[in-house]
Amino acid sequence: MQGPTRRDSLILGAGLMLAGAAPARVPGAQDSLDALARTRGMRFGSAVAWGPPRSDTGSFANPNYAALIARDCGVIVAENEMKWQALRPSPTTFDFARFDAIVAYAAAARLAVRGHNLIWHQPKWMPHWAESHDYGATPKREAARLLGDHIRTVVRRYGTRIADYDVVNEAVNPADGTLYETTLSRALGGAEPTLDLAFRTARAEAPHARLVYNDYMSWEPGNERHRAGVLRLLHGFRARGVPVDALGVQSHLITIGADARASVSRMQGDWRRFLDEVVAMGFGLVVTELDVRDNALPADPVARDRIVADYTRGYLDVTLGYQQVSDILVWGMSDRYSWIEGFEPRADGARRRPTLYDTAFAPKPMRAAVADAIRAAPARTPQRSERREI
Ligand code: XIL
């Protein structure tokens, strides 16, 4: 017997959660996706939400959900709790309570934390007050102060506890590849100086951290302008000497038909060309938010799960082929709590099945597909060293 079995550990983990402690990790568990990822020099993780103790939410405080995290994850990311909308009730105040709780849980459970995000560069994702904020007589100075203070305050608070930040989230408009403007960026003199300032401030305050630009340009048809816009932005960062270490590839995948193999062979060429150009600029890669929108698929859950799994496998086989990919994070572990159901329900009313575990926390074929893709991925050395000093 090699210590506790996985089942014992899960039960132990759930019990500890009920007692208010963090769940036990599952050392050496053959079945853990993170353990598997480590054998390839990567990490596996998930988004986690804040929720009241023992609530039916995708939270660490839900023993069922915590058991999934304990089983599979080595790194977590707050689904919403580190965003401006959560941290900044007003221009002069911060509310760290919920994100602090996530970070404390991670420390107790010996999980790494990704920081998501230091600015989500779209008006609709900023707090309402930021869009109507009075930037005063010297708007440039006030905007730079507001953004700089926000980043310094957040990054200082967590110090070396967070070694990975999505500094800027989704700055490129997928419709035409241009950069969004917000009230803040207009005051500051434009989107580029705003994004540059965000990265420079993060680097100065957290020289230890890997700094990521995170976006959802994907491999499906219709994302050509989005991908081109992201490439332009990344070239611009390099040309201006902005300290950006990696591209976060969100990976909110969308199936485009029942023949997963045909979809993969149709899209992989464009996807490889995109990733080739990103890595040629010296950027690392992180799969930051993997899940699957099961569009254009039959409602039958068995058939759907099979196609989703094959599609995910095809995507990861291409993407993890890049040794620059250091981490794979999914955007939630269970269909029970996935954001996709609220964001874009299926037209036929069938419940979405976007994640690795079903609504009763049982593993789905997509979980096996992720495990198989990790097993098939080439081993890599951890990518920390590729961080560029600029
Ligand atoms: C989503 C959350 O999952 C939702 O709960 C919230 O209402 C909106 O944001 N890209 C990102 C994530 O970078 O922060 C988003 O998370 C999903 C898309």
Side-chain angles (χ1 to χ4, degrees):
M1 229 354 246
Q2 310 254 321
T5 63
R6 181 176 54 74
R7 191 179 149 71
D8 290 343
S9 300
L10 290 179
I11 292 166
L12 176 68
L16 282 171
M17 279 309 293
L18 285 171
R25 294 292 308 285
V26 190
Q30 295 307 305
D31 211 11
S32 158
L33 292 177
D34 186 59
L36 204 53
R38 303 259 173 187
T39 68
R40 297 293 180 273
M42 297 185 283
R43 303 183 300 182
F44 181 86
S46 176
V48 176
W50 181 90
R54 286 176 287 282
S55 57
D56 191 3
T57 56
S59 164
F60 61 90
N62 171 352
N64 292 316
Y65 200 75
L68 301 183
I69 302 279
R71 176 186 191 178
D72 277 334
C73 295
V75 52
I76 58 169
V77 59
E79 183 170 359
N80 289 302
E81 291 75 2
M82 210 199 90
K83 297 169 182 172
W84 281 60
Q85 283 187 347
L87 289 185
R88 302 303 303 273
S90 79
T92 51
T93 53
F94 285 81
D95 179 356
F96 286 110
R98 292 181 175 192
F99 187 55
D100 278 355
I102 291 177
V103 174
Y105 156 75
R110 281 175 287 140
L111 300 165
V113 180
R114 296 200 73 244
H116 172 83
N117 50 63
L118 293 172
I119 185 163
W120 193 344
H121 185 67
Q122 290 179 41
K124 71 171 172 187
W125 296 116
M126 289 297 276
H128 290 306
W129 64 255
E131 284 307 295
S132 54
H133 186 63
D134 178 5
Y135 289 89
T138 53
K140 200 168 182 163
R141 190 187 307 167
E142 167 58 6
R145 185 206 60 75
L146 185 65
L147 178 60
D149 280 358
H150 178 85
I151 292 177
R152 278 187 291 272
T153 305
V154 175
V155 165
R156 251 178 226 169
R157 185 176 184 89
Y158 300 102
T160 53
R161 277 292 298 129
I162 302 183
D164 243 295
Y165 280 100
D166 291 336
V167 176
V168 173
N169 202 39
E170 299 181 359
V172 175
N173 185 341
D176 59 7
T178 61
L179 297 178
Y180 288 107
E181 294 290 347
T182 64
T183 310
L184 177 85
S185 66
R186 282 199 189 88
L188 210 141
E192 276 184 5
T194 303
L195 309 187
D196 294 1
L197 179 65
F199 279 103
R200 292 188 200 285
T201 308
R203 174 65 96 228
E205 209 49 53
H208 64 279
R210 178 171 60 173
L211 306 184
V212 177
Y213 172 72
N214 189 48
D215 209 334
Y216 63 91
M217 67 288 120
S218 197
W219 71 341
E220 293 90 10
N223 284 287
E224 295 78 8
R225 292 196 175 119
H226 199 176
R227 289 194 299 265
V230 168
L231 289 174
R232 266 195 304 278
L233 177 65
L234 295 179
H235 279 293
F237 284 146
R238 283 292 184 246
R240 298 191 298 277
V242 181
V244 183
D245 301 311
L247 174 66
V249 180
Q250 291 185 4
S251 309
H252 294 293
L253 306 182
I254 303 178
T255 51
I256 56 169
D259 188 342
R261 192 187 289 257
S263 304
V264 171
S265 55
R266 175 172 166 201
M267 290 165 340
Q268 63 175 337
D270 281 351
W271 189 234
R272 283 184 208 278
R273 272 185 286 282
F274 173 75
L275 294 178
D276 284 347
E277 195 166 335
V278 174
V279 301
M281 286 184 257
F283 292 106
L285 297 168
V286 191
V287 172
T288 50
E289 308 184 9
L290 175 67
D291 58 18
V292 182
R293 229 166 291 174
D294 46 16
N295 287 3
L297 298 189
D300 169 47
V302 175
R304 238 192 311 158
D305 284 357
R306 184 69 260 147
I307 300 163
V308 165
D310 291 346
Y311 188 72
T312 305
R313 175 75 201 267
Y315 174 78
L316 289 179
D317 279 349
V318 176
T319 307
L320 301 185
Y322 288 79
Q323 306 246 347
Q324 288 82 357
V325 177
S326 56
D327 301 323
I328 309 155
L329 282 91
V330 292
W331 206 244
M333 295 294 283
S334 163
D335 294 345
R336 192 177 184 94
Y337 311 115
S338 170
W339 74 298
I340 295 290
E341 188 61 33
F343 179 70
E344 192 191 307
R346 272 175 68 100
D348 65 4
R351 192 179 176 125
R352 290 283 194 186
R353 302 178 66 82
T355 75
L356 307 191
Y357 289 86
D358 70 14
T359 52
F361 310 107
K364 293 159 54 194
M366 185 179 166
R367 185 186 180 282
V370 171
D372 289 343
I374 294 172
R375 275 189 204 98
R380 61 214 65 202
T381 47
Q383 297 295 307
R384 302 272 153 201
S385 55
E386 110 216 327
R387 181 163 90 55
R388 285 193 166 190
E389 294 301 340
I390 296 187

